[in-house]
Amino acid sequence: MPAAITSERGPGAGAGTRTRRPRAAAAVLLAALLSALLSPSGAAAAQTAAQAAAPDRAVPTPMTHPEDDHAGSGLRRLGPAGREAVTPAAAAATGPAGLDVSSHQGAVDWAAVKRNGAAFAYVKATEGTTYTSPDYPQQYNGAYNAGLIRGAYHFALPNNSSGVAQADWFTSHGGGWSTDGRTLPPALDIEYNPYGSSCYGLSQSAMVSWIRAFSNEVRARTGRYPAIYTTTDWWTTCTGNNSGFGATNPLWIARYAGSPGALPAGWSAQTIWQYADSGVFPGDQDTFNGSLAGLQAFARGDGYTPPPASGWPTVRQGSTGERVRTVQYLLTAHGASLAVDGDFGPGTDSAVRSFQSAHGLAVDGVVGPGTWQALVVTVRQGSTGPAVTAAQSQLKAHGASLAVDGDFGPGTDSAVRSFQSAHGLAVDGVVGSNTWQALVA
């Protein structure tokens, strides 16, 4: 299986010791790389040809557009099927708002970003072992000066050099951390390859080893394990859905949909969710899973643990009661036609499986964490419909006195705020992911 070409010589990726190969394969490899250098648009073709000549190793990528490589740039590989409509209100209900930027955005008006409600930002610092963002100083320092909590991230090219080499480049060119309460932990952006094969020519085991080496080196140099930015699809495909990082590395999940969805193995909850590539802020739109106090604790390194997705209950065929009624109301809100009777029978099972199939979830008819997070609809004062009815029914089951009429008016708003206060949630009257989780727990 392919393995990373390693180098410990700093800039100049791929400079490490290499094994001998047949001359014909070496000639094809050289021709492929020369083609990429002479014609930037041929980089992907060159990598494919080179891999055919040397299938036992990953091939270095010529960086032809690092200014366009940013957290989420590879998501376009998924096309329209990789995104759904998501409103800022739905995402904001999970916690403080944020953004991530790179040289693709250029100079950022951080005062305006702060006025528009941002609490934190991640800024691209480096890529590979040769690129540093020319806009990093303005973006990183500007965010801090405007009052945001900010951090730096590295765009990984695992086929170009070792995890240790890239971690060293990153931490030497902006990827640091301090206990000032204003600095997020360093972050690793590991996602779809913008230059070629999704997994950079590495086997799943080699990819896990690369990420582990990067993570450990960042920890050794900064005192913090890096957050990992990825998607569930990429992580499953390229690491075999490895579960070995959840205990040490915060998860920064990317999913352009109404919820973070099913998470990679090992993580019970995301710390940050990138939910859109445009919106009220420059760059990509993010939200922190928790409160502002939690965000500050996360920055300080105080052992912040996000609300776990594992807190969602599991309901399946044969279940009965209020949770089933909530599932049925929410399925109706998503367009299903079924009786809301609190009885999880064949009709509800069929509706759940159809919903799971349409949203890229495991089709098993079981409403667990991933399905709950995709099902819930954020509602607030002024909302109407079955999702409001579901929230009202749950609030009533928790002792609130209000009409279950599908109309989110002042009475429902008051009941939601009372429930949030009693359960240690942000008291904002918005029934988002965290409030839904507490309602159905």
Side-chain angles (χ1 to χ4, degrees):
M1 299 300 287
I5 295 175
T6 60
S7 170
E8 302 302 330
R9 301 180 185 177
T17 303
R18 305 182 185 188
T19 58
R20 297 185 175 219
R21 290 183 289 222
R23 290 182 181 178
V28 174
L29 175 60
L30 178 61
L33 295 178
L34 284 174
S35 173
L37 291 172
L38 293 172
S39 173
S41 63
Q47 186 177 5
T48 299
Q51 284 173 327
D56 61 329
R57 62 178 63 240
V59 178
T61 294
M63 286 192 296
T64 57
H65 49 66
E67 68 282 352
D68 292 329
D69 304 336
H70 59 87
S73 58
L75 278 167
R76 55 177 168 258
R77 281 175 170 258
L78 299 180
R83 64 181 65 217
E84 303 169 19
V86 55
T87 64
T94 68
L99 65 155
D100 59 90
V101 295
S102 66
S103 63
H104 193 67
Q105 281 71 46
V108 174
D109 183 348
W110 289 106
V113 169
K114 178 67 173 177
R115 287 195 302 272
N116 286 333
F120 70 94
Y122 263 113
V123 178
K124 179 181 176 180
T126 54
E127 180 172 340
T129 54
T130 58
Y131 175 80
T132 59
S133 170
D135 294 291
Y136 177 76
Q138 189 277 339
Q139 293 175 345
Y140 189 76
N141 295 327
Y144 181 91
N145 291 336
L148 276 70
I149 298 172
R150 85 292 190 240
Y153 77 86
H154 173 80
F155 192 97
L157 294 177
N159 55 329
N160 276 23
S161 52
S162 71
V164 170
Q166 293 195 32
D168 287 342
W169 177 258
F170 174 45
T171 53
S172 296
H173 294 83
W177 174 73
S178 65
T179 58
D180 60 2
R182 298 280 302 282
T183 307
L184 296 169
L188 170 66
D189 176 0
I190 187 85
E191 58 172 298
Y192 308 95
N193 181 1
Y195 295 100
S197 63
S198 291
C199 301
Y200 300 84
L202 273 66
S203 67
Q204 292 175 342
S205 61
M207 184 64 76
V208 170
S209 295
W210 192 98
I211 297 170
R212 180 70 66 198
F214 182 98
S215 176
N216 288 342
E217 183 70 0
V218 169
R219 170 71 159 75
R221 293 194 58 162
T222 70
R224 291 290 299 269
Y225 285 105
I228 293 178
Y229 170 96
T230 194
T231 67
T232 300
D233 174 76
W234 186 92
W235 191 263
T236 300
T237 301
C238 298
T239 75
N241 206 20
N242 185 274
S243 61
F245 294 87
T248 52
N249 300 77
L251 176 64
W252 179 7
I253 193 70
R255 185 170 186 257
Y256 298 168
S259 74
L263 302 179
W267 283 283
S268 61
Q270 81 286 351
T271 297
I272 296 174
W273 168 30
Q274 184 194 78
Y275 63 89
D277 57 7
S278 63
V280 67
F281 307 125
D284 305 306
Q285 315 295 291
D286 299 281
T287 184
F288 179 77
N289 184 11
S291 64
L292 179 59
L295 176 63
Q296 293 165 339
F298 178 58
R300 289 192 303 270
D302 289 349
Y304 172 75
T305 301
S310 57
W312 294 96
T314 298
V315 293
R316 51 167 46 94
Q317 191 161 357
S319 300
T320 59
E322 192 61 40
R323 289 171 180 161
V324 175
R325 219 176 339 265
T326 299
V327 168
Q328 293 169 330
Y329 277 127
L330 292 171
L331 287 167
T332 302
H334 284 280
S337 178
L338 74 163
V340 179
D341 57 7
D343 185 358
F344 200 131
T348 301
D349 180 81
S350 177
V352 168
R353 290 173 186 272
S354 294
F355 177 84
Q356 290 171 328
S357 177
H359 288 76
L361 301 165
V363 181
D364 56 9
V366 178
V367 182
T371 301
W372 272 115
Q373 290 181 86
L375 264 177
V376 295
V377 177
T378 298
V379 292
R380 62 200 318 154
Q381 191 160 356
S383 301
T384 59
V388 174
T389 306
Q392 291 171 327
S393 185
Q394 278 287 353
L395 288 164
K396 191 168 184 177
H398 283 278
S401 177
L402 76 165
V404 180
D405 57 6
D407 185 356
F408 200 129
T412 302
D413 180 80
S414 177
V416 169
R417 290 174 186 272
S418 294
F419 177 84
Q420 290 171 328
S421 177
H423 288 78
L425 301 165
V427 181
D428 57 8
V430 179
V431 184
S433 180
N434 290 344
T435 300
W436 274 116
Q437 187 182 65
L439 281 170
V440 302

